[in-house]
Amino acid sequence: MVAMTNSAAVLADAAAYAAAVEQASVAAAAYYATGESALDDDAYDRLARGIAAYEADHPEEVLAASPTGKVAGGAAVGDVPHTVPMLSLDNVFSAEQFATWTASLERRIGRPVTAWSVEPKLDGLAVAARYRDGRFERLITRGDGTAGEDVSHAAGAVVGLPERLAEPVTIEVRGEILMTNDQFDQGNATRTEHGGAPFANPRNGAAGTLRAKDRAYRVETTFFAYGALPLPDSGELGETLAELPHSEVLSYVAGLGVHTAAGTDVAPVLAATVEEVQVRVDAIGSLRAELPFGIDGIVIKADLAADQREAGSGTRAPRWAIAYKLPAVEKITRLLAVEWNVGRTGIIAPRAVLEPVEIDGSTVGYATLHNPADITRRDLRLGDQVMVYKAGDIIPRIEAPVVHLRTGDETPIDFPESCPQCGSGIDTSEQRWRCTRGRNCRLVASVSYAAGRDQLDIEGLGATRVVQLVDAGLVADFADLFTLEREQLLALDRMGETSTDNLLAAIETARTRPLSRVFCALGVRGTGRSMSRRIARYFATMDRIVAADVETLQRVDGIGKEKAAAVVAELVELAPLIDKLVAAGVTMTEPGATPPPEPGTEEEAAAGAGAEAVGGTGSTLPLAGMTVVVTGAMSGALEKLSRNQMNELIERAGGKSSSSVSQRTSLLVAGDKAGSKRTKAEDLGVRIAVPEEFAELVGAFLAAGEDT
Ligand code: IVH
């Protein structure tokens, strides 16, 4: 169940109440006018709830400026009257509050509601798009709810709002305009290239973009329809719309060619009971972190026109719909410092140190920053107030500085002039900076990685041993491990006969590891364990991997053009190491994998660009076409398998392994102490198996891979 931890601001007296109303009005006015506010959503909600609580206790003191009584809570902006007011929504924050709300609605209409539409609460700006005889006519913001601003000039860059509808109808479509995550990144890049300040978050970006006139560049946003109503000269359509259930209005609008949330993972669904609604609410909450656009809650609406009519509306919000708010995933905090860390491949990566802030149930003190160019492009400065986003398991990220909160005391971020690890030079020719010594800068880390459990799995070769080997000049890369001699090892501190022989035996075993493990040990950037397995299974031999060009590499599931180019470039750099490994007799083939057809042959043409699952996979495999996630402690026949070995097993049995549960997950293998992944799978109705059931399913493949 979605945890709601929101509290209200406590207002002690009339003066505190008045100050809170003033603060909320200023924030709301700024938010509705420009999308910018000094308060993040969570802070605004807490303030508004404190105001409402005070008003409930002191009804005689309610101020006219209070946001609780307003239609839309904002200052009037624009002069195009709305035919029907654009209302806001009341909020609930828990299952209990939702149940109380439904009970009061059902009391009001005197019967149970048997159809609820459960949809995402899209985190953007409400707009009304008017169409006359099927042609786009006008785009209007919500403004203060009674009149909005004409922003028709911006409609051309709004994805999902066609110029012409599929039928020549006169209709007003209402919905939300937002920036998808991609549009936000793209929009900020374009904007800063043109000398503009970056948008603090996607909603801010959508608001700014909609109101901007005469921009020298184009920034796209996306429209999602969530309702429609007739215009004065809609004719018969007016009566039809008035009688249709809300869900059918949405389908009708989609049929006209207007974008709705129907094609997304959080598409509106109908629920018959409060319990069913709650299941969908939890499912949408679970999907939130992976959505390509922002949502800040779930909207639940009585679906039937008669229920809506009889419930009616208040001045601020309808009584037949409610917003079930999700916890805030964005907070404003201060950027204190930037740390520069050198990774195992020599990449020098910046990381933001933040004033710790509580987001979505955990304390966030750090956030990723991609590269120096990204810092420059976003014009980040030390001391900046920044908008930080974190949802679910994702790594927190800084969306952008909140430029209008700058005091003038912010200072530029210093970029390193030499490698912070070893003091060598920095190669700045690529977006991601790198120590000129490359992998050698963190030689111990890169050899330890190669020897690690999920790569060559060399028992007895921990970091301390690797340091010894490197310091003694015996190892300059991990291929040197395979030519180590007994006497050389015996000469090292704390290396007796037994540990030496054990280590040499472990190295011998490593020489026979399959290609997927050897490839992973190379530490090619962007190719972890699962990608290495896919590459090895696709190409079957190291020769073929090395010979692959950018186009061929893209045939591997999950490799796009950019990644393919990066892998090709890195394999050139790694060629001497690969040659050394070949010379040392290390395995360069993947057992069970069938090589892809040679380029230019008939088989190749038949295989086509979609060929991905070669390597003995076929529809007879028990996990063919399935995406499997593993969580919790394995038991029975699977007890000794690491996560990586479990993933290898899944892939041998024809499935695809994944680390996160989503609607695309076919099966969750849940062992003892399975936590949030199990809950999420239950919410989404994903099939769950205990390790013993799974072992039975893939039994034949279990034995096959025991010694890999
Ligand atoms: S229905 C009369 N449905 O949330 C009912 N609103 O906080 C009006 N919103 O003003 C709104 N997603 O801007 C509705 N699926 C959805 C929505 C949605 C986002 C926005 C809308 C509204 C605000 C209220």
Side-chain angles (χ1 to χ4, degrees), residues 140-170:
I140 311 151
T141 64
R142 179 169 65 174
D144 69 352
T146 55
E149 196 181 352
D150 189 327
V151 288
S152 307
H153 59 270
V158 181
V159 177
L161 266 183
E163 181 59 41
R164 293 192 78 148
L165 299 178
E167 288 172 35
V169 288
T170 297

PDB file of all heavy atoms in Angstrom, residues 140-170:
ATOM      1  N   ILE A 140      -6.196  27.286 -24.271  1.00  0.00           N
ATOM      2  CA  ILE A 140      -6.356  28.234 -23.169  1.00  0.00           C
ATOM      3  C   ILE A 140      -5.863  27.608 -21.864  1.00  0.00           C
ATOM      4  O   ILE A 140      -6.187  26.449 -21.573  1.00  0.00           O
ATOM      5  CB  ILE A 140      -7.853  28.621 -23.004  1.00  0.00           C
ATOM      6  CG1 ILE A 140      -8.435  29.011 -24.358  1.00  0.00           C
ATOM      7  CG2 ILE A 140      -8.051  29.733 -21.986  1.00  0.00           C
ATOM      8  CD1 ILE A 140      -9.919  28.735 -24.458  1.00  0.00           C
ATOM      9  N   THR A 141      -5.109  28.365 -21.080  1.00  0.00           N
ATOM     10  CA  THR A 141      -4.662  27.841 -19.780  1.00  0.00           C
ATOM     11  C   THR A 141      -5.828  27.886 -18.803  1.00  0.00           C
ATOM     12  O   THR A 141      -6.842  28.531 -19.057  1.00  0.00           O
ATOM     13  CB  THR A 141      -3.522  28.681 -19.187  1.00  0.00           C
ATOM     14  OG1 THR A 141      -4.024  29.989 -18.916  1.00  0.00           O
ATOM     15  CG2 THR A 141      -2.328  28.750 -20.123  1.00  0.00           C
ATOM     16  N   ARG A 142      -5.650  27.249 -17.656  1.00  0.00           N
ATOM     17  CA  ARG A 142      -6.722  27.272 -16.683  1.00  0.00           C
ATOM     18  C   ARG A 142      -6.888  28.668 -16.064  1.00  0.00           C
ATOM     19  O   ARG A 142      -7.992  29.075 -15.724  1.00  0.00           O
ATOM     20  CB  ARG A 142      -6.450  26.259 -15.569  1.00  0.00           C
ATOM     21  CG  ARG A 142      -7.545  26.307 -14.538  1.00  0.00           C
ATOM     22  CD  ARG A 142      -7.457  25.164 -13.573  1.00  0.00           C
ATOM     23  NE  ARG A 142      -6.261  25.223 -12.768  1.00  0.00           N
ATOM     24  CZ  ARG A 142      -6.006  24.398 -11.767  1.00  0.00           C
ATOM     25  NH1 ARG A 142      -6.847  23.425 -11.504  1.00  0.00           N
ATOM     26  NH2 ARG A 142      -4.916  24.513 -11.061  1.00  0.00           N
ATOM     27  N   GLY A 143      -5.760  29.377 -15.914  1.00  0.00           N
ATOM     28  CA  GLY A 143      -5.837  30.695 -15.275  1.00  0.00           C
ATOM     29  C   GLY A 143      -6.391  30.574 -13.878  1.00  0.00           C
ATOM     30  O   GLY A 143      -5.939  29.723 -13.102  1.00  0.00           O
ATOM     31  N   ASP A 144      -7.402  31.390 -13.546  1.00  0.00           N
ATOM     32  CA  ASP A 144      -7.973  31.274 -12.201  1.00  0.00           C
ATOM     33  C   ASP A 144      -9.166  30.333 -12.182  1.00  0.00           C
ATOM     34  O   ASP A 144      -9.914  30.272 -11.214  1.00  0.00           O
ATOM     35  CB  ASP A 144      -8.363  32.657 -11.662  1.00  0.00           C
ATOM     36  CG  ASP A 144      -9.555  33.238 -12.414  1.00  0.00           C
ATOM     37  OD1 ASP A 144      -9.964  32.638 -13.441  1.00  0.00           O
ATOM     38  OD2 ASP A 144     -10.071  34.278 -11.995  1.00  0.00           O
ATOM     39  N   GLY A 145      -9.383  29.623 -13.276  1.00  0.00           N
ATOM     40  CA  GLY A 145     -10.473  28.654 -13.322  1.00  0.00           C
ATOM     41  C   GLY A 145     -11.700  29.207 -14.035  1.00  0.00           C
ATOM     42  O   GLY A 145     -12.462  28.453 -14.624  1.00  0.00           O
ATOM     43  N   THR A 146     -11.859  30.531 -13.992  1.00  0.00           N
ATOM     44  CA  THR A 146     -13.011  31.107 -14.695  1.00  0.00           C
ATOM     45  C   THR A 146     -12.578  31.708 -16.029  1.00  0.00           C
ATOM     46  O   THR A 146     -13.355  31.768 -16.972  1.00  0.00           O
ATOM     47  CB  THR A 146     -13.714  32.194 -13.857  1.00  0.00           C
ATOM     48  OG1 THR A 146     -12.741  33.164 -13.499  1.00  0.00           O
ATOM     49  CG2 THR A 146     -14.315  31.616 -12.595  1.00  0.00           C
ATOM     50  N   ALA A 147     -11.333  32.158 -16.088  1.00  0.00           N
ATOM     51  CA  ALA A 147     -10.800  32.678 -17.353  1.00  0.00           C
ATOM     52  C   ALA A 147      -9.316  32.343 -17.425  1.00  0.00           C
ATOM     53  O   ALA A 147      -8.626  32.331 -16.398  1.00  0.00           O
ATOM     54  CB  ALA A 147     -10.982  34.196 -17.425  1.00  0.00           C
ATOM     55  N   GLY A 148      -8.848  32.043 -18.628  1.00  0.00           N
ATOM     56  CA  GLY A 148      -7.441  31.680 -18.790  1.00  0.00           C
ATOM     57  C   GLY A 148      -6.798  32.496 -19.889  1.00  0.00           C
ATOM     58  O   GLY A 148      -7.420  33.373 -20.498  1.00  0.00           O
ATOM     59  N   GLU A 149      -5.556  32.155 -20.145  1.00  0.00           N
ATOM     60  CA  GLU A 149      -4.769  32.901 -21.105  1.00  0.00           C
ATOM     61  C   GLU A 149      -4.764  32.156 -22.436  1.00  0.00           C
ATOM     62  O   GLU A 149      -4.699  30.919 -22.447  1.00  0.00           O
ATOM     63  CB  GLU A 149      -3.340  32.963 -20.555  1.00  0.00           C
ATOM     64  CG  GLU A 149      -2.464  33.984 -21.184  1.00  0.00           C
ATOM     65  CD  GLU A 149      -1.066  33.923 -20.549  1.00  0.00           C
ATOM     66  OE1 GLU A 149      -0.886  33.201 -19.548  1.00  0.00           O
ATOM     67  OE2 GLU A 149      -0.180  34.579 -21.080  1.00  0.00           O
ATOM     68  N   ASP A 150      -4.826  32.881 -23.513  1.00  0.00           N
ATOM     69  CA  ASP A 150      -4.763  32.256 -24.833  1.00  0.00           C
ATOM     70  C   ASP A 150      -3.304  31.907 -25.149  1.00  0.00           C
ATOM     71  O   ASP A 150      -2.466  32.804 -25.254  1.00  0.00           O
ATOM     72  CB  ASP A 150      -5.314  33.239 -25.883  1.00  0.00           C
ATOM     73  CG  ASP A 150      -5.465  32.553 -27.228  1.00  0.00           C
ATOM     74  OD1 ASP A 150      -4.649  31.660 -27.530  1.00  0.00           O
ATOM     75  OD2 ASP A 150      -6.402  32.906 -27.973  1.00  0.00           O
ATOM     76  N   VAL A 151      -3.021  30.625 -25.241  1.00  0.00           N
ATOM     77  CA  VAL A 151      -1.642  30.213 -25.552  1.00  0.00           C
ATOM     78  C   VAL A 151      -1.633  29.410 -26.865  1.00  0.00           C
ATOM     79  O   VAL A 151      -0.812  28.514 -27.046  1.00  0.00           O
ATOM     80  CB  VAL A 151      -1.015  29.397 -24.390  1.00  0.00           C
ATOM     81  CG1 VAL A 151      -0.688  30.282 -23.205  1.00  0.00           C
ATOM     82  CG2 VAL A 151      -1.913  28.232 -23.963  1.00  0.00           C
ATOM     83  N   SER A 152      -2.549  29.764 -27.772  1.00  0.00           N
ATOM     84  CA  SER A 152      -2.653  29.021 -29.040  1.00  0.00           C
ATOM     85  C   SER A 152      -1.336  29.033 -29.810  1.00  0.00           C
ATOM     86  O   SER A 152      -1.036  28.077 -30.542  1.00  0.00           O
ATOM     87  CB  SER A 152      -3.742  29.638 -29.922  1.00  0.00           C
ATOM     88  OG  SER A 152      -4.938  29.737 -29.209  1.00  0.00           O
ATOM     89  N   HIS A 153      -0.552  30.095 -29.630  1.00  0.00           N
ATOM     90  CA  HIS A 153       0.733  30.190 -30.343  1.00  0.00           C
ATOM     91  C   HIS A 153       1.628  28.981 -30.069  1.00  0.00           C
ATOM     92  O   HIS A 153       2.482  28.643 -30.865  1.00  0.00           O
ATOM     93  CB  HIS A 153       1.481  31.470 -29.924  1.00  0.00           C
ATOM     94  CG  HIS A 153       1.743  31.515 -28.439  1.00  0.00           C
ATOM     95  ND1 HIS A 153       0.850  32.080 -27.561  1.00  0.00           N
ATOM     96  CD2 HIS A 153       2.761  31.014 -27.695  1.00  0.00           C
ATOM     97  CE1 HIS A 153       1.319  31.943 -26.316  1.00  0.00           C
ATOM     98  NE2 HIS A 153       2.472  31.291 -26.379  1.00  0.00           N
ATOM     99  N   ALA A 154       1.410  28.334 -28.892  1.00  0.00           N
ATOM    100  CA  ALA A 154       2.305  27.240 -28.490  1.00  0.00           C
ATOM    101  C   ALA A 154       1.824  25.871 -28.970  1.00  0.00           C
ATOM    102  O   ALA A 154       2.548  24.879 -28.867  1.00  0.00           O
ATOM    103  CB  ALA A 154       2.436  27.226 -26.968  1.00  0.00           C
ATOM    104  N   ALA A 155       0.608  25.813 -29.520  1.00  0.00           N
ATOM    105  CA  ALA A 155      -0.005  24.503 -29.787  1.00  0.00           C
ATOM    106  C   ALA A 155       0.792  23.652 -30.773  1.00  0.00           C
ATOM    107  O   ALA A 155       0.800  22.420 -30.671  1.00  0.00           O
ATOM    108  CB  ALA A 155      -1.435  24.689 -30.289  1.00  0.00           C
ATOM    109  N   GLY A 156       1.482  24.293 -31.697  1.00  0.00           N
ATOM    110  CA  GLY A 156       2.216  23.555 -32.725  1.00  0.00           C
ATOM    111  C   GLY A 156       3.301  22.662 -32.146  1.00  0.00           C
ATOM    112  O   GLY A 156       3.684  21.666 -32.756  1.00  0.00           O
ATOM    113  N   ALA A 157       3.818  23.021 -30.970  1.00  0.00           N
ATOM    114  CA  ALA A 157       4.899  22.215 -30.377  1.00  0.00           C
ATOM    115  C   ALA A 157       4.377  21.301 -29.269  1.00  0.00           C
ATOM    116  O   ALA A 157       5.146  20.782 -28.484  1.00  0.00           O
ATOM    117  CB  ALA A 157       5.993  23.144 -29.839  1.00  0.00           C
ATOM    118  N   VAL A 158       3.034  21.141 -29.227  1.00  0.00           N
ATOM    119  CA  VAL A 158       2.470  20.243 -28.212  1.00  0.00           C
ATOM    120  C   VAL A 158       2.125  18.915 -28.875  1.00  0.00           C
ATOM    121  O   VAL A 158       1.223  18.839 -29.710  1.00  0.00           O
ATOM    122  CB  VAL A 158       1.196  20.855 -27.572  1.00  0.00           C
ATOM    123  CG1 VAL A 158       0.646  19.901 -26.502  1.00  0.00           C
ATOM    124  CG2 VAL A 158       1.485  22.218 -26.967  1.00  0.00           C
ATOM    125  N   VAL A 159       2.853  17.867 -28.507  1.00  0.00           N
ATOM    126  CA  VAL A 159       2.586  16.539 -29.059  1.00  0.00           C
ATOM    127  C   VAL A 159       1.251  16.045 -28.500  1.00  0.00           C
ATOM    128  O   VAL A 159       0.985  16.192 -27.312  1.00  0.00           O
ATOM    129  CB  VAL A 159       3.717  15.559 -28.647  1.00  0.00           C
ATOM    130  CG1 VAL A 159       3.428  14.148 -29.133  1.00  0.00           C
ATOM    131  CG2 VAL A 159       5.063  16.067 -29.144  1.00  0.00           C
ATOM    132  N   GLY A 160       0.413  15.504 -29.376  1.00  0.00           N
ATOM    133  CA  GLY A 160      -0.843  14.924 -28.882  1.00  0.00           C
ATOM    134  C   GLY A 160      -2.061  15.792 -29.113  1.00  0.00           C
ATOM    135  O   GLY A 160      -3.181  15.367 -28.865  1.00  0.00           O
ATOM    136  N   LEU A 161      -1.833  17.021 -29.567  1.00  0.00           N
ATOM    137  CA  LEU A 161      -2.948  17.913 -29.909  1.00  0.00           C
ATOM    138  C   LEU A 161      -2.938  18.100 -31.422  1.00  0.00           C
ATOM    139  O   LEU A 161      -2.213  18.948 -31.944  1.00  0.00           O
ATOM    140  CB  LEU A 161      -2.724  19.294 -29.282  1.00  0.00           C
ATOM    141  CG  LEU A 161      -3.345  19.606 -27.928  1.00  0.00           C
ATOM    142  CD1 LEU A 161      -3.051  21.047 -27.556  1.00  0.00           C
ATOM    143  CD2 LEU A 161      -4.851  19.336 -27.913  1.00  0.00           C
ATOM    144  N   PRO A 162      -3.725  17.311 -32.147  1.00  0.00           N
ATOM    145  CA  PRO A 162      -3.646  17.412 -33.611  1.00  0.00           C
ATOM    146  C   PRO A 162      -4.233  18.731 -34.125  1.00  0.00           C
ATOM    147  O   PRO A 162      -5.067  19.347 -33.448  1.00  0.00           O
ATOM    148  CB  PRO A 162      -4.485  16.223 -34.080  1.00  0.00           C
ATOM    149  CG  PRO A 162      -5.413  15.923 -32.959  1.00  0.00           C
ATOM    150  CD  PRO A 162      -4.735  16.336 -31.690  1.00  0.00           C
ATOM    151  N   GLU A 163      -3.788  19.114 -35.287  1.00  0.00           N
ATOM    152  CA  GLU A 163      -4.321  20.309 -35.952  1.00  0.00           C
ATOM    153  C   GLU A 163      -5.777  20.032 -36.374  1.00  0.00           C
ATOM    154  O   GLU A 163      -6.638  20.885 -36.284  1.00  0.00           O
ATOM    155  CB  GLU A 163      -3.414  20.567 -37.167  1.00  0.00           C
ATOM    156  CG  GLU A 163      -3.703  21.753 -38.049  1.00  0.00           C
ATOM    157  CD  GLU A 163      -3.675  23.078 -37.323  1.00  0.00           C
ATOM    158  OE1 GLU A 163      -2.777  23.257 -36.477  1.00  0.00           O
ATOM    159  OE2 GLU A 163      -4.559  23.926 -37.592  1.00  0.00           O
ATOM    160  N   ARG A 164      -6.018  18.782 -36.827  1.00  0.00           N
ATOM    161  CA  ARG A 164      -7.369  18.376 -37.249  1.00  0.00           C
ATOM    162  C   ARG A 164      -7.771  17.096 -36.557  1.00  0.00           C
ATOM    163  O   ARG A 164      -6.963  16.176 -36.413  1.00  0.00           O
ATOM    164  CB  ARG A 164      -7.397  18.139 -38.770  1.00  0.00           C
ATOM    165  CG  ARG A 164      -7.203  19.397 -39.549  1.00  0.00           C
ATOM    166  CD  ARG A 164      -7.521  19.150 -40.981  1.00  0.00           C
ATOM    167  NE  ARG A 164      -8.964  19.133 -41.201  1.00  0.00           N
ATOM    168  CZ  ARG A 164      -9.527  19.541 -42.325  1.00  0.00           C
ATOM    169  NH1 ARG A 164      -8.780  19.958 -43.312  1.00  0.00           N
ATOM    170  NH2 ARG A 164     -10.830  19.504 -42.476  1.00  0.00           N
ATOM    171  N   LEU A 165      -9.046  17.024 -36.187  1.00  0.00           N
ATOM    172  CA  LEU A 165      -9.563  15.806 -35.556  1.00  0.00           C
ATOM    173  C   LEU A 165     -10.030  14.831 -36.627  1.00  0.00           C
ATOM    174  O   LEU A 165     -10.230  15.214 -37.783  1.00  0.00           O
ATOM    175  CB  LEU A 165     -10.738  16.152 -34.639  1.00  0.00           C
ATOM    176  CG  LEU A 165     -10.429  17.104 -33.485  1.00  0.00           C
ATOM    177  CD1 LEU A 165     -11.689  17.397 -32.686  1.00  0.00           C
ATOM    178  CD2 LEU A 165      -9.349  16.527 -32.579  1.00  0.00           C
ATOM    179  N   ALA A 166     -10.249  13.588 -36.211  1.00  0.00           N
ATOM    180  CA  ALA A 166     -10.689  12.567 -37.163  1.00  0.00           C
ATOM    181  C   ALA A 166     -12.117  12.830 -37.647  1.00  0.00           C
ATOM    182  O   ALA A 166     -12.535  12.303 -38.676  1.00  0.00           O
ATOM    183  CB  ALA A 166     -10.600  11.189 -36.512  1.00  0.00           C
ATOM    184  N   GLU A 167     -12.891  13.630 -36.889  1.00  0.00           N
ATOM    185  CA  GLU A 167     -14.271  13.955 -37.297  1.00  0.00           C
ATOM    186  C   GLU A 167     -14.468  15.459 -37.176  1.00  0.00           C
ATOM    187  O   GLU A 167     -13.861  16.094 -36.307  1.00  0.00           O
ATOM    188  CB  GLU A 167     -15.280  13.252 -36.374  1.00  0.00           C
ATOM    189  CG  GLU A 167     -15.369  11.761 -36.589  1.00  0.00           C
ATOM    190  CD  GLU A 167     -16.224  11.099 -35.516  1.00  0.00           C
ATOM    191  OE1 GLU A 167     -17.210  11.718 -35.067  1.00  0.00           O
ATOM    192  OE2 GLU A 167     -15.862   9.982 -35.122  1.00  0.00           O
ATOM    193  N   PRO A 168     -15.355  16.020 -37.990  1.00  0.00           N
ATOM    194  CA  PRO A 168     -15.511  17.492 -37.983  1.00  0.00           C
ATOM    195  C   PRO A 168     -16.394  17.984 -36.828  1.00  0.00           C
ATOM    196  O   PRO A 168     -17.411  18.635 -37.045  1.00  0.00           O
ATOM    197  CB  PRO A 168     -16.151  17.766 -39.344  1.00  0.00           C
ATOM    198  CG  PRO A 168     -16.927  16.523 -39.649  1.00  0.00           C
ATOM    199  CD  PRO A 168     -16.197  15.387 -39.026  1.00  0.00           C
ATOM    200  N   VAL A 169     -16.004  17.667 -35.611  1.00  0.00           N
ATOM    201  CA  VAL A 169     -16.843  18.032 -34.469  1.00  0.00           C
ATOM    202  C   VAL A 169     -16.358  19.312 -33.789  1.00  0.00           C
ATOM    203  O   VAL A 169     -15.196  19.685 -33.888  1.00  0.00           O
ATOM    204  CB  VAL A 169     -16.881  16.894 -33.423  1.00  0.00           C
ATOM    205  CG1 VAL A 169     -17.705  15.734 -33.916  1.00  0.00           C
ATOM    206  CG2 VAL A 169     -15.462  16.450 -33.079  1.00  0.00           C
ATOM    207  N   THR A 170     -17.300  19.955 -33.088  1.00  0.00           N
ATOM    208  CA  THR A 170     -16.969  21.140 -32.300  1.00  0.00           C
ATOM    209  C   THR A 170     -16.976  20.707 -30.838  1.00  0.00           C
ATOM    210  O   THR A 170     -17.995  20.245 -30.330  1.00  0.00           O
ATOM    211  CB  THR A 170     -18.007  22.251 -32.576  1.00  0.00           C
ATOM    212  OG1 THR A 170     -17.893  22.590 -33.967  1.00  0.00           O
ATOM    213  CG2 THR A 170     -17.765  23.474 -31.710  1.00  0.00           C
TER     214      THR A 170
END
